[in-house]
Amino acid sequence: MGEPRQSPSGAGAGAGAVLRKLAPPPALVGFLLLLVLIFAVSYAVGASAGPVAPGIHGTDPGAGTSGGGDGTDGGTEHGHGADR
């Protein structure tokens, strides 16, 4: 009477159907591509702008020095001395 129906389980289906089944949804692929594009543009803009404040250094005065820093600054902090 009618044409025989192929089973949706993949019997008789070609490699294209298998690839379509394993491929991520197009919306996910588009989102990931947009995300990569945004990060690439952001990186390019940041690289072209250069450093924001080239003269600023870290807040740790003993970082990177070999001067026996014990965490104290010899009482030079204002308001924390013994004269309170």
Side-chain angles (χ1 to χ4, degrees):
M1 288 195 167
E3 296 181 15
R5 301 173 94 189
Q6 291 183 355
S7 65
S9 66
V18 172
L19 288 176
R20 270 184 258 123
K21 188 174 182 180
L22 294 176
L28 178 62
V29 173
F31 173 73
L32 292 176
L33 285 175
L34 182 64
L35 196 64
V36 167
L37 178 70
I38 288 172
F39 277 111
V41 169
S42 174
Y43 181 81
V45 168
S48 68
V52 175
I56 293 181
H57 301 288
T59 58
D60 186 10
T65 61
S66 59
D70 59 353
T72 63
D73 60 356
T76 59
E77 290 185 15
H78 300 286
H80 296 289
D83 59 342
R84 276 187 157 189

